[in-house]
């Protein structure tokens, strides 16, 4: 019984016990500093340019000049279509040019003689005008033959199918010996990698928030300003990818009530791949003076969030608060707390609303 009485007496006389001194706690006023809000989104990377490579002339594939999945620069050779029929067509067209020029030279010489005789009144006007028209027609035939030769030269150059953009090439869709049709047969696809797009959707509520902030002048719209974004991948814990907004759609989708947005991210190493998911945070507000407290100072009262403060009489009181995001490791308090409140930041479990405590002054600093 003596042992039990001694133990009970220790509890009764201990800090916070009946008849004992008030329990010690550490208090500090909220940290006040300029902060900005960041809004979180989940989205997907998309290629800024995506091109399906198709031939511009019909023919048989003679050679493949790339490795499936490799990186190609704009203008780099991908396929070769058998050039022999096109080389023969070009040679024929060039011969037609020579023939047309010879005919034109003869027509001009005839017209020159006709003109001299006409000026001497030794030839009728009808013969003069006939030779004049013949010379003009011969010149036109030269121009037409040159145009055909240029087209044949283009056709020959189109037998070398090159990368239209710089980017990652997919696998080949045709093999050597396959017949491809101009403008019809898909040969492969190529997607650009640097820079790369990040596409996401925002709720109508967030879109309205941005619109009102733009009207108030506290945050410019992403339609007119390259607001910054930070992105982390599924296996990353930090936002290491930097980018900026470059597009906001012009309608809110009626089915989902969301607005589509897009950011541009530098990707010099090609690590980011179209189709990958990511977590993005977008600048959500202009700078404002915010109150920050440690996350450990927040207690849960059923469905509400609250903090414990110590009044002038050193008694504990509870403040129901509205919380914001975490900034520099501290929790933003949007409402329910005053800058002069002494918040319990250590020994929260020893504080009970309405009971006295022994406050020890502390200071809130980022972890």
């Amino acid at each position: 019984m003596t042992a039990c009485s001694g133990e009970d007496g220790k509890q009764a006389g201990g800090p916070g016990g009946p008849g004992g001194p008030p329990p010690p706690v550490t208090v500090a006023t909220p940290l006040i500093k300029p902060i900005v809000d960041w809004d979180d989104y989940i989205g997907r990377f998309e290629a800024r340019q995506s091109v399906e490579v198709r031939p511009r002339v019909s023919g048989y594939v003679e050679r493949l000049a790339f490795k499936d999945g490799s990186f190609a620069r704009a203008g780099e050779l991908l396929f070769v279509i058998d050039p022999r029929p096109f080389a023969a067509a070009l040679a024929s067209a060039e011969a037609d040019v020579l023939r047309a020029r010879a005919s034109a030279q003869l027509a001009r010489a005839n017209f020159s003689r006709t003109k001299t005789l006409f000026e001497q009144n030794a030839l009728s006007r009808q013969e003069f005008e006939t030779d004049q028209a013949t010379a003009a027609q011969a010149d036109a035939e030269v121009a037409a033959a040159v145009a055909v030769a240029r087209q044949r030269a283009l056709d020959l150059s189109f037998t070398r199918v090159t990368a239209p953009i710089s980017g990652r090439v997919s696998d080949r869709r045709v093999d050597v010996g396959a017949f491809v049709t101009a403008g019809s047969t898909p040969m492969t696809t190529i997607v650009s990698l640097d820079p790369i797009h990040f596409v996401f959707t925002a709720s109508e509520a967030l879109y309205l928030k941005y619109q009102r902030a733009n009207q108030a002048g506290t945050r410019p719209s992403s339609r007119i300003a390259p607001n910054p974004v930070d992105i982390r991948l599924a296996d990353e814990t930090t936002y290491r990818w930097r980018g900026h907004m470059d597009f906001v759609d012009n309608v809110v989708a009626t089915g989902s009530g969301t607005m589509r947005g897009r950011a541009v991210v530098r990707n010099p190493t090609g690590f980011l791949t179209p189709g990958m998911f990511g977590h993005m945070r977008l600048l959500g507000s202009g700078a404002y003076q915010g109150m920050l407290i440690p996350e450990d100072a927040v207690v849960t009262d059923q469905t509400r969030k609250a903090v414990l403060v110590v009044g002038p009489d050193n008694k504990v009181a509870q403040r129901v608060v509205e919380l914001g995001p975490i900034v520099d490791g501290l929790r933003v308090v949007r409402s329910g707390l005053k800058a002069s409140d002494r918040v319990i930041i250590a020994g929260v479990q020893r504080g009970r609303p309405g009971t006295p405590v022994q406050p020890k002054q502390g200071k809130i600093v980022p972890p």
Side-chain angles (χ1 to χ4, degrees), residues 235-313:
D235 64 343
E236 295 176 338
T237 57
T238 59
Y239 292 85
R240 60 182 291 251
W241 304 94
R242 304 286 185 262
H244 65 269
M245 292 291 297
D246 82 324
F247 169 75
V248 177
D249 211 346
N250 58 353
V251 294
V252 176
T254 55
S256 60
T258 57
M259 174 69 77
R260 190 166 64 97
R262 187 180 69 200
V264 176
V265 183
R266 294 293 300 169
N267 186 29
T269 64
F271 183 86
L272 300 175
T273 304
M276 293 173 62
F277 280 96
H279 298 264
M280 185 193 80
R281 60 182 186 183
L282 166 64
L283 179 69
S285 72
Y288 64 94
Q289 292 296 111
M291 290 190 294
L292 297 94
I293 61 174
E295 183 75 11
D296 292 340
V298 180
V299 297
T300 300
D301 181 10
Q302 295 182 349
T303 60
R304 302 180 302 176
K305 298 295 183 180
V307 298
L308 300 180
V309 300
V310 177
D313 56 357

Side-chain angles (χ1 to χ4, degrees), residues 320-331:
V320 177
V321 295
E322 178 188 354
L323 300 178
I326 291 180
V327 176
D328 296 335
L330 299 175
R331 177 66 69 176

Side-chain angles (χ1 to χ4, degrees), residues 189-201:
T189 58
I190 183 170
V191 294
S192 63
L193 296 178
D194 184 31
I196 193 169
H197 282 156
F198 186 83
V199 180
F200 64 97
T201 56

Side-chain angles (χ1 to χ4, degrees), residues 14-351:
V25 296
T26 302
V27 299
T29 56
L31 176 64
I32 308 297
K33 63 177 294 186
I35 61 173
V36 295
D37 291 339
W38 295 84
D39 296 323
D40 295 323
Y41 298 95
I42 295 177
R44 184 191 296 269
F45 289 98
E46 289 185 357
R48 193 174 187 183
Q49 294 175 290
S50 179
V51 179
E52 187 175 55
V53 179
R54 296 174 184 263
R56 302 181 70 171
V57 293
S58 299
Y60 290 93
V61 178
E62 183 180 74
R63 181 162 65 94
L64 303 177
F66 72 99
K67 181 180 178 182
D68 292 350
S70 61
F71 185 87
R73 299 199 175 276
E76 190 172 324
L77 184 65
L78 301 178
F79 298 91
V80 175
I81 297 173
D82 185 0
R84 291 172 298 177
F86 302 96
L90 174 59
S92 177
E94 289 174 340
D96 289 341
V97 170
L98 295 176
R99 185 182 301 111
R101 285 176 175 166
S103 297
Q105 184 177 5
L106 178 59
R108 285 194 296 270
N110 287 337
F111 174 64
S112 178
R113 287 190 293 270
T114 300
K115 183 179 179 181
T116 301
L117 293 174
F118 177 72
E119 290 173 349
Q120 296 174 355
N121 294 321
L123 204 65
S124 67
R125 175 172 292 277
Q126 180 180 3
E127 290 176 309
F128 170 77
E129 291 177 347
T130 298
D131 286 354
Q132 185 181 39
T134 300
Q137 182 178 355
D139 289 338
E141 289 176 351
V142 170
V146 169
V148 171
R150 288 176 178 170
Q151 182 60 55
R152 297 295 178 263
L154 276 176
D155 290 343
L156 180 59
S157 68
F158 291 155
T159 61
R160 295 175 57 85
V161 182
T162 59
I165 60 174
S166 296
R168 183 80 61 193
V169 185
S170 182
D171 59 337
R172 62 186 182 275
R173 308 292 167 81
V174 294
D175 289 310
V176 172
F179 184 83
V180 293
T181 303
S184 176
T185 307
M187 303 183 78
T188 188
T189 58
I190 183 170
V191 294
S192 63
L193 296 178
D194 184 31
I196 193 169
H197 282 156
F198 186 83
V199 180
F200 64 97
T201 56
S203 66
E204 185 174 347
L206 284 172
Y207 175 68
L208 285 172
K209 184 186 84 166
Y210 299 149
Q211 288 291 85
R212 300 199 185 282
N214 183 60
Q215 286 185 335
T218 58
R219 175 194 180 275
S221 169
S222 294
R223 285 196 176 99
I224 60 176
N227 288 318
V229 302
D230 298 330
I231 300 172
R232 66 177 177 86
L233 303 181
D235 64 343
E236 295 176 338
T237 57
T238 59
Y239 292 85
R240 60 182 291 251
W241 304 94
R242 304 286 185 262
H244 65 269
M245 292 291 297
D246 82 324
F247 169 75
V248 177
D249 211 346
N250 58 353
V251 294
V252 176
T254 55
S256 60
T258 57
M259 174 69 77
R260 190 166 64 97
R262 187 180 69 200
V264 176
V265 183
R266 294 293 300 169
N267 186 29
T269 64
F271 183 86
L272 300 175
T273 304
M276 293 173 62
F277 280 96
H279 298 264
M280 185 193 80
R281 60 182 186 183
L282 166 64
L283 179 69
S285 72
Y288 64 94
Q289 292 296 111
M291 290 190 294
L292 297 94
I293 61 174
E295 183 75 11
D296 292 340
V298 180
V299 297
T300 300
D301 181 10
Q302 295 182 349
T303 60
R304 302 180 302 176
K305 298 295 183 180
V307 298
L308 300 180
V309 300
V310 177
D313 56 357
N314 288 343
K315 288 187 176 181
V316 177
Q318 181 175 281
R319 298 276 194 273
V320 177
V321 295
E322 178 188 354
L323 300 178
I326 291 180
V327 176
D328 296 335
L330 299 175
R331 177 66 69 176
V332 175
V333 178
R334 297 197 184 279
S335 63
L337 201 61
K338 295 184 294 185
S340 59
D341 283 336
R342 296 190 296 168
V343 179
I344 298 179
I345 59 174
V348 177
Q349 70 280 4
R350 294 193 289 270

